[in-house]
């Protein structure tokens, strides 16, 4: 049996940055499930699918084969055999993923792949439905969140550092819209699992979050090992 950590929370809470650091510290594989939904969304965008039409999404999703491999500990996502890692982290793809990921037919194969991976590997997996749906038996579940104002400001600072013009209020509105979609969809909505530990990072810096999550992981690992 493998040791699994589930981290869920809204967009911009810092899940992937923190999960990556904790995975390294704890010698676990880091599984970024959002990247798989992003790969599916990339396929829809490339195919020119009308995202307002779920029928079109359902028809096309069977033609996109998403697979994953780990190269030097880094997750590489393949879309019909092509490494699509370089194309996944754009606003356009993130926005499209939040529209296509609620479709049950999109989730079916992706969730199956995630479950198979976790069954055979000690891992830390982040997403929206990991503790509630993908890994209900995970040894540790964390719900990582922060206020939308703080999340927007972090994103704003990131974009400014890259020299990209942006508007804080627009970013905040986008984050709140995405939260609403993720939390109110019919299938696997984002919510805190009953047995998840809530970590609100609004008043914490990155290193404080990493050390708190590492502490929780060590504790869970020790009690799992018995
Ligand atoms: O975490 P992210 O921004 O890379 O996720 C992109 C989209 O995928 C997000 O809008 C919600 C969706 N997603 C999901 O539905 N379930 C997951 N386990 C992970 C992401």
């Amino acid at each position: 049996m493998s040791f699994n950590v589930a981290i869920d929370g809204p967009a911009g809470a810092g899940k992937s940055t923190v999960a990556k650091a904790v995975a390294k510290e704890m010698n676990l594989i880091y599984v970024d499930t959002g990247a798989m939904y992003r790969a599916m969304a990339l396929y829809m965008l490339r195919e020119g699918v009308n995202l307002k039409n779920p029928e079109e999404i359902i028809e096309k999703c069977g033609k996109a084969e998403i697979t994953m491999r780990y190269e030097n500990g880094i997750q590489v996502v393949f879309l019909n055999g092509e490494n699509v890692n370089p194309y996944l982290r754009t606003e356009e793809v993130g926005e499209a993923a939040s529209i296509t990921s609620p479709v049950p037919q999109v989730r079916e194969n992706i969730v199956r792949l995630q479950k198979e991976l976790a069954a055979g590997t000690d891992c830390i997996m982040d997403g929206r439905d990991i503790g509630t749906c993908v890994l209900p038996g995970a040894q540790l579940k964390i719900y990582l969140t922060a206020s939308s104002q703080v999340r927007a400001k972090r994103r704003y600072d990131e974009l400014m550092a890259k020299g990209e013009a942006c508007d804080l209020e627009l970013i905040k509105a986008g984050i709140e819209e995405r939260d609403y979609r993720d939390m109110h969809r019919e299938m696997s909505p984002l919510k805190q699992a009953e047995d998840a530990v809530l970590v609100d990072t609004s008043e914490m810096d990155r290193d404080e979050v990493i050390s708190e999550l590492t502490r929780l992981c060590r504790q869970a690992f020790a009690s799992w090992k018995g």
Side-chain angles (χ1 to χ4, degrees), residues 18-208:
V18 171
K20 254 184 228 162
V22 176
K24 206 167 167 194
E25 190 73 29
M26 297 288 299
N27 204 17
L28 303 169
I29 288 281
Y30 164 57
V31 186
D32 170 3
T33 63
M36 301 163 87
Y37 292 100
R38 283 172 182 260
M40 181 60 90
L42 177 69
Y43 179 76
M44 301 293 165
L45 290 172
R46 283 179 173 178
E47 290 292 305
V49 167
N50 174 5
L51 298 180
K52 294 204 175 85
N53 184 352
E55 295 302 317
E56 265 190 57
I57 297 173
I58 292 167
E59 191 204 316
K60 284 281 179 189
C61 75
K63 300 190 173 78
E65 197 202 4
I66 314 281
T67 51
M68 294 215 299
R69 222 171 41 214
Y70 283 83
E71 296 178 1
N72 301 321
I74 308 278
Q75 171 179 301
V76 184
V77 181
F78 294 86
L79 169 61
N80 293 331
E82 176 195 354
N83 172 354
V84 288
N85 270 19
Y87 314 110
L88 301 181
R89 289 277 136 210
T90 67
E91 286 300 312
E92 187 193 17
V93 170
E95 184 62 25
S98 111
I99 298 168
T100 57
S101 61
V103 176
Q105 287 83 347
V106 165
R107 303 194 76 78
E108 257 167 39
N109 283 337
I110 291 181
V111 167
R112 186 178 42 76
L113 203 66
Q114 292 163 357
K115 284 180 189 255
E116 283 171 7
L117 188 65
T121 321
D122 290 347
C123 68
I124 182 161
M125 188 177 277
D126 82 3
R128 304 293 189 286
D129 60 340
I130 311 305
T132 52
C133 163
V134 180
L135 305 177
Q139 286 81 5
L140 174 64
K141 297 179 187 176
I142 292 164
Y143 191 82
L144 197 71
T145 190
S147 70
S148 58
Q149 181 67 31
V150 167
R151 287 183 283 136
K153 179 68 168 62
R154 287 178 188 159
R155 183 77 189 125
Y156 173 85
D157 290 343
E158 247 171 53
L159 291 170
M160 291 299 273
K162 282 196 233 164
E164 288 178 36
C166 55
D167 180 287
L168 182 60
E169 283 311 308
L170 275 182
I171 295 176
K172 183 165 174 250
I175 280 183
E176 286 173 353
E177 200 180 306
R178 206 176 285 186
D179 284 356
Y180 186 87
R181 268 204 297 266
D182 288 349
M183 290 172 180
H184 291 85
R185 64 189 186 202
E186 215 164 285
M187 195 174 179
S188 315
L190 167 66
K191 65 170 188 246
Q192 183 181 340
E194 274 177 22
D195 49 352
V197 180
L198 174 69
V199 179
D200 186 327
T201 71
S202 302
E203 308 277 328
M204 295 165 87
D205 69 23
R206 183 181 168 278
D207 289 347
E208 287 172 326

